[in-house]
Amino acid sequence: MARSRFLFLLALLLLSTVVTQTGRAQNVAEVQLAPGTMRLAVGERRELLATAYDRRGDIVSTARFVWVSSNPGVARVEADPNMPGIAEVVGVAEGLASIEAKVGDRSASSAIQVSGGGGGGTPVPVGNATVLQIEPGSVFLLPTEDVDLRAVFLTDDGSPGTPSAVTWRSLTPTIATVSERGSVVGLTSGQGVVEAVSAGGLIARVSVQISQATFEVGNEILALSPGQSDTVVVSVPQQNHRQLESRRLMWRSTDPSIVTVSPIGMATGVGAGHAELVVSGYGQENRLAVTVHRPVEFLETLPRQDQGPVAVPMGGAIPFSATPLAADETPVLEAPLTWSLPDTTIASFDPATGLLTGKSLGATELQVRAPGEGLEQTWQITVIEGGLSLDVERMSLGLAETHQLKASFTDQSGTPVSDATGVTWVSTDPAVLEVDDVGKLSPGGFGTAQVVVSTPWGSADTTTVYVQGEVLVTYTSAGQADLYSFDRDQVDTRHQVTDLPGNELNARYSPDGTKIAYVSDERGNIDIYVADGDGSNPMRLTTTVAFENSPAWTPDGQQIVFESDAGGTSQIWIMNVDGSDVRQLTHGEYPSGQPVVSPNGQTIAFSSERDEKKDIYLMNLDGANQRNFTSSDVDEVAPEWLGDSTLVYMVEERERRVTTRSVQRMNFAREVTQLSPAALSVDHYAVSPAGDLLAVVVSAEGPGGTERRLYLIPMVGESVPQEVPRGSSGDQILSPSFRP
């Protein structure tokens, strides 16, 4: 028969490519049998291929196999001594059997299931046949490739009919030939037709398409562990990715010390390294890169197993990762991982990104396996109707700043479990603040806006954002003092922050910009207040009859230091941001005031007259370790921190009853730098956190008397001072401060 002759020639070609071994059974180290399982119908015949290998992985060409069926009444095996390694299995009766191929004490077996009908076999006839069909209904082949056709007899109602003898012939013999048993062989490219005629005169035809198409291996690269095997699939993309029978091809490895390959395309890793599998046949050749990685000893996974079940919000995604490790605990990144998720209605998993996404409420599990004994982990997954939270509740931004908000899915307790995905972002005032579809904030104007993020199932969270000016000042017009802010590059665009009955002075932004501390005479006395970053919701913190002034924040935003004369003379006090737990830090008959806290929160700088002149002093946050910092012959007041080891302050000098004030800087190494021009007499000042801009208030005589004007003096480059414009000559600008 044509097919048997082809297989025999193939076997001879394979044997010519291997190292000849002696035929003694004791040289055989392994026997492989393909396919490993088979389903047959009663009366159907199919072939098995056995291959023997020695200890080096080479084929033992002289091996002679003994074929045995465990149940000949179910499946019979017929071997042809002229074709070593090939035998036919015949379905005899319904049931299970095992076919064994044996060489000496080495053997392999294939499980056989025989059914009475279906399974690709001949159906049980129930009536006289009136229709003849050919299976398969269409044929695609490469030149020299063959396929077995089968005649199917049916009655008028489509049920199996009684078979009869069939005569096969090719109507296009130059394109394809057909044997007396229905084995078609492609010859040249073209469209052919094969006809079957039954003894009763029934006729059927099938189209045979022969084309010189290119075959391809199914993998771009094959990764194996030592000792691991995998079967390589070869298909023809131009013929609907039709799979070729691997045993009809010739296989070899470019380096058998790294990978071996059997005659049926089964690759087995041997040692770590890189090699290629070469597959040839039908006048062409293709190659597959193979990487055999180091043995994997450990599997490192996240989330950790000891964290218990993993809660995934419905619609949310949580990352999972697994890293194979060698014995020295270095990653074996080329080792393949196998992920499995049994219930994809509860969740889905993308191995490329490692993200598991909750789809519906319920429980499932995710498992990962690495090549090696016991290298697997299973996570118990619970999909919950989780919540949503943003990383900040309140924040501030300058006009030139942007910010990326982070949204997280949370479990029932509110604990974040993963980054939020598939959520919607909305700004309540896009003119003030825009937000894109991933939570990036872009200010558009001064004011306040809320950013709302929400899920399709109704969970939501909100962040309040204050868009503020860089410089905060008291602006007095028509006898009313309110707080305003502006940016250095838009000094003529002021934004009013407060519009309250009293006068607001000496204001400072909180470290995060979401609150403002200031003093006000709204209740008839000078007290300290705190308001939101846009001036709303003012709250009075001090309620004594004393005079309180100069509020300054601790870096954590939880406390405020200030000066008060509640004890008779002005001293330094500290309180919580809600006005509770008020404590006095300095004592004595000489006044102390103007406190500011260092950026690291450890030191308070303040001015004091305790040495019969005004100096800058330092003390710990709790009032301990008070010491003189300046100790000069002139008066120093109004300290400001520039980093943790440099102070800026005003120097007061008197000459002929005229007092002048200038701004200086001194670090802890006692190096002094003059900051303000000598020609200016400064009433108030502020320095930017970066130390690149100085804001000074100076007094000057105008048409209506003394005017207080604000100048911005660049501390770097060649820029000249810039006056901040006023609405009229009678307007005053006082007490500047900068956003942190």
Side-chain angles (χ1 to χ4, degrees), residues 18 45 64 75 82 163 184 232 239 283 287 305 308 342 370 378 447 473 496 512 526 561 573 617 623 681 714:
V18 301
R45 291 173 172 266
R64 293 294 180 263
N82 295 320
V184 178
V232 181
Q239 296 179 352
R287 291 172 176 255
Q305 185 67 29
T378 301
V473 298
Q496 187 167 359
D512 63 1
I526 302 297
V561 294
W573 299 66
Y617 282 75
S681 181

Side-chain angles (χ1 to χ4, degrees), residues 326-348:
D328 60 359
E329 299 188 0
T330 58
V332 186
L333 299 180
E334 63 272 26
L337 298 174
T338 303
W339 297 86
S340 62
L341 182 70
D343 192 342
T344 55
T345 64
I346 300 295
S348 62

Side-chain angles (χ1 to χ4, degrees), residues 255-333:
D255 191 340
S257 67
I258 294 175
V259 61
T260 61
V261 61
S262 74
I264 59 172
M266 181 175 289
T268 302
V270 178
H274 303 277
E276 286 185 320
L277 296 183
V278 183
V279 54
S280 58
Y282 308 114
Q284 54 187 297
E285 180 181 279
N286 211 312
R287 291 172 176 255
L288 172 63
V290 180
T291 296
V292 180
H293 56 76
R294 295 173 296 158
V296 178
E297 299 293 338
F298 311 102
L299 184 61
E300 183 179 69
T301 58
L302 288 174
R304 299 194 312 270
Q305 185 67 29
D306 57 11
Q307 294 177 336
V310 180
V312 183
M314 186 171 61
I318 288 184
F320 288 78
S321 67
T323 305
L325 303 177
D328 60 359
E329 299 188 0
T330 58
V332 186
L333 299 180

Side-chain angles (χ1 to χ4, degrees), residues 10-26:
L10 174 63
L12 291 178
L13 288 171
L14 287 171
L15 296 178
S16 68
T17 64
V18 301
V19 179
T20 304
Q21 306 289 328
T22 63
R24 294 179 299 172
Q26 58 265 35

Side-chain angles (χ1 to χ4, degrees), residues 52 92 150 162-163 196 202 206 240 300 357 404 408 458 479 530 623 625 633 657 676 713 735:
V92 178
R150 187 165 66 91
T162 303
L202 299 176
V206 65
N240 298 321
E300 183 179 69
T357 303
Q404 180 68 56
S408 301
V530 166
N625 191 24
D633 295 332
R657 298 184 179 181
S676 65
I713 303 174
S735 58

